[in-house]
Amino acid sequence: MNRDQIRSKIAELLGDITDNDDLALTDETTADDVDGWDSVNHVKLIVALESALKIRFDSDEITAPDNVGALVDLIAEKLPSA
Amino acid sequence: MCKLMDAEQFPSLARLTEAILAVWPQHRRYLQSNFAERDTDMLRHSERLTAMILRLADSTEGGLPALATDYRFLCEKIILPEEMHFRRTNAYRLTRFDDALEQVYSRKEFMTRYMNGLLVSDVIWLNHCRCMKHYADTFLPGLPEGASLLEIGPGHGLLLCLAAERPGIGEITAWDVSEASLDASRHSLEVLEAKRTASFRQVDIFDRSQRRENDLFDAIVLSEVLEHLEDPAAALSALFDLTRPGGRVWINVPANSPAPDHLFLLRNADEATALVRNAGFEVVESVVYPMSGVTLERAKREALTVNCVVVGRRPAH
Ligand SMILES: C[S@@+](CC[C@H](N)C(=O)[O-])C[C@H]1O[C@@H](n2cnc3c(N)ncnc32)[C@H](O)[C@@H]1O
């Protein structure tokens, strides 16, 4: 998966969780920019990413990814390199 | 940056929120929306509670900054990992008391930070704060003049202090299985210069051999205890035996509230009410307070944390 594909996956899952069908994310998007991306939904997003991508997050890692780009980087590190 | 709380109107809240933001600036948005949810009455109650917490803070090691740091530690390092486990598995991590004893209760330094964090949560987390308000503004004033009151598991002792401040309450007794908790609540009564004291006794709610013949109370308080137990139904039936016929109990128990020492997973408020009723009590009142930022409907739909307060009455005959 490349960075764009990871970002789309995040958008898809976060869109499901926050009931937003056409959620568009850029690397610069922060939680504050997205309606409904609160701390409860953040944990749900992380757990949804875990099962969709077969990865595992440590709670230390998820407290404050500054923006979507940082989350994409974190996921990229966890995925087996293609 | 603008101040979160008006320091003239709410000096204690202003001090507490500033102390939190000093160690956790990213918490601003949460605090802002959290306090925006409170009406004036609720803010006044929060201010009163915070004034108590600040006085307790002054008497603990590290003072207010340490308390604020421990609150952040609670949210990020204690609750968040359990939250993730709960979302992954739909269960609490531990179910056995012995495991909680080994992993949580016996770790003294961890426990201190955990308890400090929880003290702050009593005013910051709306579900906790509302429970305290129900206790102080509804339950205590509704008790008959001179009612004797027993709290089991007072922990930090905040509820005990509220009872001691309330005129009209009779003799106050506190039982806890933990010597450290008894010390903490005794200390709180002293620091807050409560109008009177309580008699303290180390008692395990499950151990009937520790009971005395005249152990019968007009009011019994059990707050944030049931979820720590392996057998909550047995605890409630012990409570029933200790309640004088016609007397009342105030039970506060969270549902869907993962924490390292929570063993009993309550799924909703109906289960809480049923537990109290099955122990033999009539249910006088049952209220549910969702976590900050969440409506009751959303909490139900998504299995989010709520606190259930159930007031029960032991039938007179
Ligand atoms: C989380 S604290 C509750 C503090 C306070 N009541 C509140 O509402 O925030 C739980 C308390 O229950 C006590 N406890 C746990 N098991 C008990 C038992 N079997 N008998 C008596 N007390 C118990 C603990 O020692 C602790 O002080």
Side-chain angles (χ1 to χ4, degrees):
Chain A
M1 261 181 138
N2 62 32
R3 293 189 89 263
D4 286 341
Q5 291 166 321
I6 297 174
R7 200 184 309 98
S8 312
K9 194 73 198 172
I10 299 174
E12 177 199 322
L13 296 173
L14 186 59
D16 283 349
I17 292 167
T18 58
D19 270 333
N20 182 346
D21 286 343
D22 37 32
L23 182 64
L25 298 178
T26 69
D27 276 355
E28 284 70 42
T29 309
T30 68
D32 289 2
D33 302 326
V34 178
D35 246 7
W37 194 354
D38 56 15
S39 57
V40 168
N41 283 338
H42 187 59
V43 174
K44 282 196 197 167
L45 169 67
I46 293 297
V47 172
L49 284 164
E50 286 186 339
S51 56
L53 303 177
K54 313 248 170 326
I55 52 176
R56 186 88 168 179
F57 291 92
D58 197 56
S59 54
D60 283 345
E61 298 172 323
I62 71 152
T63 35
D66 295 331
N67 54 28
V68 168
L71 184 57
V72 172
D73 291 339
L74 183 64
I75 294 171
E77 275 170 37
K78 290 180 181 290
L79 289 170
S81 39
Chain B
M1 232 185 238
C2 74
K3 294 253 191 297
L4 202 94
M5 298 300 303
D6 176 357
E8 288 205 353
Q9 217 181 346
F10 303 112
S12 303
L13 277 173
R15 246 188 92 199
L16 178 65
T17 47
E18 259 168 61
I20 293 172
L21 288 174
V23 296
W24 196 6
Q26 301 88 335
H27 209 42
R28 176 177 287 272
R29 191 165 74 123
Y30 173 87
L31 289 177
Q32 253 157 359
S33 55
N34 181 324
F35 281 100
E37 274 189 79
R38 304 179 194 213
D39 60 16
T40 314
D41 197 30
M42 194 62 201
L43 283 170
R44 269 199 217 110
H45 163 75
S46 311
E47 173 69 17
R48 175 187 179 202
L49 219 55
T50 308
M52 294 169 81
I53 292 172
L54 291 182
R55 287 179 71 185
L56 294 176
D58 288 340
S59 75
T60 60
E61 211 182 308
L64 185 55
L67 221 62
T69 308
D70 290 344
Y71 167 71
R72 179 175 185 171
F73 182 77
L74 169 71
C75 297
E76 293 191 329
K77 305 285 176 190
I78 303 184
I79 300 299
L80 184 63
E82 304 298 332
E83 224 34 273
M84 286 177 62
H85 182 276
F86 183 58
R87 289 287 151 203
R88 284 181 190 127
T89 63
N90 196 22
Y92 290 167
R93 201 164 47 82
L94 301 186
T95 52
R96 293 181 38 234
F97 180 80
D98 286 346
D99 293 330
L101 185 63
E102 187 195 322
Q103 294 181 31
V104 187
Y105 299 128
S106 61
R107 293 165 60 202
K108 199 157 175 289
E109 196 193 334
F110 177 85
M111 273 309 280
T112 306
R113 301 197 69 182
Y114 188 12
M115 291 304 120
N116 283 346
L118 281 176
L119 188 62
V120 175
S121 84
D122 275 338
V123 68
I124 300 292
W125 296 354
L126 210 41
N127 46 326
H128 282 183
C129 196
R130 289 212 160 104
C131 290
M132 308 286 279
K133 186 172 191 317
H134 184 279
Y135 182 72
D137 293 355
T138 306
F139 181 71
L140 289 178
L143 293 175
E145 187 72 22
S148 59
L149 180 142
L150 164 70
E151 179 168 358
I152 301 179
H156 46 54
L158 223 46
L159 290 171
L160 211 56
C161 291
L162 289 169
E165 286 300 313
R166 177 89 211 164
I169 303 288
E171 229 173 281
I172 300 178
T173 308
W175 291 356
D176 203 297
V177 66
S178 138
E179 193 60 51
S181 291
L182 288 173
D183 284 346
S185 33
R186 203 180 281 125
H187 175 78
S188 297
L189 281 175
E190 277 168 25
V191 171
L192 297 178
E193 297 167 273
K195 292 206 177 73
R196 62 225 142 100
T197 185
S199 53
F200 293 90
R201 207 160 106 201
Q202 193 169 9
V203 175
D204 181 342
I205 193 173
F206 294 117
D207 186 353
R208 284 176 190 267
S209 71
Q210 290 177 308
R211 308 260 176 84
R212 298 179 190 155
E213 217 171 302
N214 56 355
D215 281 342
L216 214 51
F217 303 87
D218 298 313
I220 305 189
V221 178
L222 191 73
S223 176
E224 304 260 346
V225 177
L226 286 177
E227 70 278 16
H228 297 264
L229 308 176
E230 282 183 21
D231 191 351
L236 285 173
S237 111
L239 223 62
F240 186 84
D241 295 341
L242 292 162
T243 310
R244 198 186 304 283
R248 291 184 172 216
V249 291
W250 190 83
I251 317 275
N252 169 20
V253 57
N256 301 313
S257 172
D261 51 348
H262 287 183
L263 310 177
F264 164 60
L265 171 52
L266 195 74
R267 300 282 180 183
N268 55 54
D270 291 342
E271 285 186 13
T273 312
L275 264 176
V276 175
R277 193 172 282 129
N278 291 342
F281 294 102
E282 291 164 1
V283 172
V284 176
E285 192 187 354
S286 170
V287 265
V288 196
Y289 300 119
M291 64 186 287
S292 309
V294 164
T295 62
L296 210 50
E297 291 67 37
R298 181 175 173 204
K300 262 188 208 158
R301 204 171 52 236
E302 303 180 22
L304 305 177
T305 304
V306 295
N307 271 74
C308 314
V309 170
V310 185
V311 178
R313 178 176 175 275
R314 175 169 172 167
H317 306 290

